[in-house]
């Protein structure tokens, strides 16, 4: 194999890996935002229950 082909293959591997990492980070962010919303909702409900007692 010529060195040019090795560089092209390496570049493609790095490109696809970075796309995959970015996608995973977006999914982690979305899951974290959903978890935060759930926890805020639970905290609000618990505060309301405690204040009504």
């Amino acid at each position: 194999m010529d060195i040019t082909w090795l560089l092209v293959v390496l570049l493609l591997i790095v490109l696809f890996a970075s796309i995959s990492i970015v996608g995973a980070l977006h999914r982690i962010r979305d899951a974290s935002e959903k978890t935060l919303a759930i926890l805020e909702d639970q905290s609000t409900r618990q505060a309301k229950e405690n204040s009504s007692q």
Side-chain angles (χ1 to χ4, degrees):
M1 259 192 172
D2 193 359
I3 187 75
T4 305
W5 283 110
L6 290 175
L7 290 175
V8 169
V9 169
L10 182 62
L11 180 68
L12 289 174
I13 290 172
V14 169
L15 179 67
F16 287 121
S18 63
I19 291 171
S20 178
I21 290 170
V22 168
L25 290 174
H26 282 290
R27 288 190 298 274
I28 290 170
R29 184 196 63 199
D30 291 344
S32 297
E33 288 175 352
K34 287 179 184 178
T35 302
L36 180 61
I38 291 169
L39 291 174
E40 287 175 343
D41 184 50
Q42 288 177 347
S43 176
T44 303
R45 288 182 187 184
Q46 189 173 21
K48 287 180 182 178
E49 288 177 3
N50 289 342
S51 66
S52 67
Q53 290 179 355

